[in-house]
Amino acid sequence: MTDISRPPWPLQSALPGIVWPAIPPPNAATLLALLYQLDRSQWLGADAIRTQQLRQLDMLLKHAFATCDAYRSRWAGAYDPNAALTYDAFTRLPLLGRRTLQDDFDRLRSRRPPAAHGAPIEQRTSGSTGAPVSLLTTRLSGLFWDAFTLRDHDWHRRDFTRKLAVIRRETELGTAPNWGPATAGVIATGPSVGHSIRTDAAALLDWLDAQRPGYLFSYPSLVAELARLSLERGTRLPGLLEVRTLAESLSPDVRRLCRDAWDVPLTDLYSATEVGYIALQCPSHAHYHVQSEGVLVEVLDDGGRPCSAGEIGRVVVTSLNNFAMPLVRYDIGDFAEVGSPCDCGRGLPVLTRVLGRVRNTLVTADGKRYWPVFGTRALMEAAPIRQYQFVQKTPQRVDARLVVTTPLTPEQEARFRERVTSQLPPGIELAIAYVDSIGRGAGGKYEEFVSEVGAG
C-alpha cells in the first residue's frame, strides 16, 4: 500500500498555532478523505473494482434515465431502471458520439442535477479538430479532478517544495504562490510559474533556464522541441527533476529525448475535458492505469467487442460522477492498446499506449489503419529539421511539411526520405514541402500526423 508519509506531505492547518498534526479546513478535509479512499481502492482486485463501479453506475443510470430527455428516448427498450444492473446490460446501451454531444446539449443535460453536487458549470472544449463541444460539470467533478491530481503527485513522490513550470494553451506569463487548485489550501508547495504555448521555443527555453523549476508540465510536442533545442545548445536545465506531459499522444522517443537532454524521467497522463482524468502513468512502468474510481473505460474493436491485452481499439468512457450532464458510453474518439494486469499490484486496468484520434491514423487503400512513428531523434539526426508534420492526402500519398534551420542537401533529404518511408506501408509516395512554420490547433495541441482520408 502507498505510504503518503514518504516523502512527508506538508499539510496546511486551518487553526492558528497548530501546524502538526495539521487540521485542514473542511474543503481540504473532504479532499483528503477522498484521497484516503483512493489510496486503498487502487489495491482492490479487478472483480472488486467492477462491483464498486456497478454500484455507482446504478445510481448514475437511474438518474440519467429519470432526468435526461436524451437518455430516456435513446435507452427505450434497452434499459430498465427497476432491474438489477449487470455489466452485460450496461454494455448493451448505445454509444454516445461526439456529434450527438455537440447537437443534443439541451436534451443530455439533467433537468434535476443534485444540489449537493454544486451548481452546474458550463465548459467548452475544441478538441484536436477545432469542433467545439459544450458540457456541464459540477463542483463535485472538480473535487475528483483534484483528488486524482494528488494521487498522481503521490504515485510519483514529487517534492512539493520545488517550483513547478507550466506551459499550456490557457496559461499566460506569470507566477502563482502554489501549484494550483489541487494543492491550494491543502498542501504547502513551492511557487508555480506559467508561460503560453504560443511563445517561441527558444524564448521558452531561455525562460526555463532562468526559472530553474523542479518540474515542467506541458505538451509532448513542445517538450520534444525544447529537448532538441537543449541538445543543440548544450543547455541542461539544472534542478529539473521530472517532465510531465498531457493532451497529446506520447511517443517513446520523447522520453528518450528528456533523458538525453536533461537526464530526467517523463511522466504522462491521459485526460479529457469531457470526462476528467482517464488514466495516469504507473509509478513503476511507462504504461497507464485507468482511474476506475472516476471513469469506466471500455476499449472496443471495430465490431464493438472488448479488446484483449495487446489489441488496439476505440476508447469509450463513462464518467461516474457527473450528474449534471451524464456521459454514458461516450466514444471519445481516441484509440488505445489494452495491457495485461500490472505487476505493481494495483488492480486498476492497464492501457499500454494511448494512440490518439481517428484522424491521426494512416489509412491504406484497403481500409487498414496504422499509427506511424517516425522517431523525433532519428529525424533530427537525419537532417537539420526544426519542426515537421505529416499529412496524408490520399491512400497513396503523404506530404511531409518541414521547418528547417538550413536548406537540406540532397544527401540529407535522401536520409530523411529513407527514414520516413521505412515507417510507412509499401506503395505510399512521400512528398516534401518546406514551410516557414507549423501552427498549433485551436486547443493549443500539435498533431504530428494527420490523415485527410477516411477520418470519420
Side-chain angles (χ1 to χ4, degrees):
M1 184 174 294
T2 302
D3 181 357
I4 64 172
S5 66
R6 299 195 317 267
W9 282 32
L11 297 179
Q12 293 184 319
S13 182
L15 295 184
I18 301 297
V19 295
W20 184 80
I23 301 177
N27 62 322
T30 300
L31 177 58
L32 292 170
L34 180 54
L35 184 66
Y36 175 88
Q37 295 179 74
L38 296 182
D39 186 54
R40 281 142 183 81
S41 59
Q42 64 185 320
W43 305 110
L44 295 174
D47 290 343
I49 289 174
R50 179 56 50 81
T51 296
Q52 296 302 325
Q53 286 184 316
L54 283 173
R55 292 180 61 211
Q56 183 59 37
L57 267 176
D58 189 45
M59 302 290 290
L60 179 75
L61 299 187
K62 287 176 178 176
H63 171 79
F65 190 73
T67 71
C68 302
D69 296 336
Y71 288 121
R72 181 172 285 276
S73 59
R74 286 170 59 85
W75 296 349
Y79 173 69
D80 180 0
N82 298 312
L85 180 66
T86 65
Y87 187 69
D88 286 343
F90 165 71
T91 59
R92 288 195 292 269
L93 297 177
L95 300 184
L96 173 67
R98 184 181 180 90
R99 179 58 60 85
T100 302
L101 183 56
Q102 288 175 306
D103 296 344
D104 227 3
F105 175 90
D106 286 333
R107 298 185 71 246
L108 283 167
R109 66 188 300 172
S110 171
R111 289 180 276 103
R112 296 189 303 276
H117 291 197
I121 304 165
E122 184 169 353
Q123 297 191 26
R124 293 175 64 85
T125 175
S126 63
S128 57
T129 63
V133 167
S134 296
L135 66 145
L136 297 175
T137 61
T138 63
R139 186 180 67 248
L140 179 65
S141 304
L143 177 67
F144 274 92
W145 180 276
D146 290 345
F148 289 124
T149 299
L150 291 183
R151 169 185 266 180
D152 187 48
H153 291 329
D154 180 32
W155 278 8
H156 299 283
R157 304 246 175 142
R158 297 190 178 111
D159 182 352
F160 289 112
T161 68
R162 304 299 295 271
K163 182 188 292 185
L164 168 67
V166 180
I167 307 174
R168 297 179 61 184
R169 175 183 63 86
E170 62 270 32
T171 305
E172 297 297 335
L173 180 62
T175 303
N178 54 56
W179 285 11
T183 57
V186 183
I187 299 168
T189 71
S192 61
V193 292
H195 217 311
S196 172
I197 191 71
R198 307 292 182 185
T199 307
D200 176 74
L204 288 172
L205 187 58
D206 290 339
W207 176 74
L208 287 170
D209 196 31
Q211 291 291 337
R212 302 291 178 95
Y215 300 95
L216 169 61
F217 192 34
S218 191
Y219 305 138
S221 59
L222 179 66
V223 167
E225 195 171 354
L226 292 170
R228 290 197 302 267
L229 190 56
S230 287
L231 289 168
E232 291 176 10
R233 290 184 180 181
T235 303
R236 297 296 294 180
L237 295 184
L240 189 66
L241 300 176
E242 178 191 19
V243 171
R244 301 167 57 205
T245 53
L246 78 164
E248 299 171 349
S249 296
L250 175 73
S251 73
D253 201 55
V254 182
R255 295 185 188 275
R256 291 192 290 269
L257 277 170
C258 287
R259 286 291 188 189
D260 292 345
W262 305 314
D263 193 27
V264 299
L266 184 150
T267 303
D268 192 39
L269 64 85
Y270 179 30
S271 67
T273 301
E274 301 99 304
V275 294
Y277 280 100
I278 300 173
L280 296 174
Q281 184 178 318
C282 176
S284 303
H285 302 281
H287 58 230
Y288 306 79
H289 283 292
V290 173
Q291 300 303 284
S292 296
E293 302 92 344
V295 290
L296 190 153
V297 171
E298 305 168 74
V299 181
L300 307 179
D301 65 16
D302 290 341
R305 296 174 294 270
C307 291
S308 300
E311 295 180 336
I312 294 171
R314 285 178 176 264
V315 178
V316 174
V317 185
T318 299
S319 173
L320 298 176
N321 53 61
N322 185 355
F323 283 62
M325 180 175 278
L327 298 184
V328 179
R329 306 201 75 205
Y330 176 49
D331 184 349
I332 203 165
D334 288 341
F335 284 91
E337 179 182 339
V338 176
S340 301
C342 186
D343 61 12
C344 73
R346 292 174 176 84
L348 302 171
V350 171
L351 300 178
T352 304
R353 296 181 293 161
V354 179
L355 295 156
R357 300 272 172 178
V358 175
R359 74 190 232 106
N360 302 128
T361 62
L362 185 146
V363 184
T364 57
D366 59 1
K368 293 182 178 178
R369 293 188 181 274
Y370 296 85
W371 288 263
V373 177
F374 302 103
T376 304
R377 188 68 184 271
L379 295 183
M380 182 178 68
E381 292 172 348
I385 298 169
R386 177 67 63 193
Q387 194 178 12
Y388 60 88
Q389 185 179 58
F390 298 95
V391 180
Q392 184 181 18
K393 294 293 186 179
T394 72
Q396 294 81 27
R397 174 184 158 191
V398 170
D399 287 5
R401 305 173 65 221
L402 304 181
V403 179
V404 296
T405 53
T406 59
L408 302 191
T409 66
E411 293 78 12
Q412 290 170 334
E413 187 171 303
R415 286 200 300 270
F416 174 81
R417 284 183 176 277
E418 181 182 3
R419 170 63 189 175
V420 173
T421 54
S422 70
Q423 304 301 310
L424 294 174
I428 294 183
E429 172 193 357
L430 178 68
I432 297 177
Y434 296 96
V435 297
D436 293 331
S437 64
I438 300 173
R440 293 180 175 271
K445 301 178 185 179
Y446 171 76
E447 296 176 280
E448 178 181 304
F449 188 95
V450 178
S451 178
E452 297 177 355
V453 180

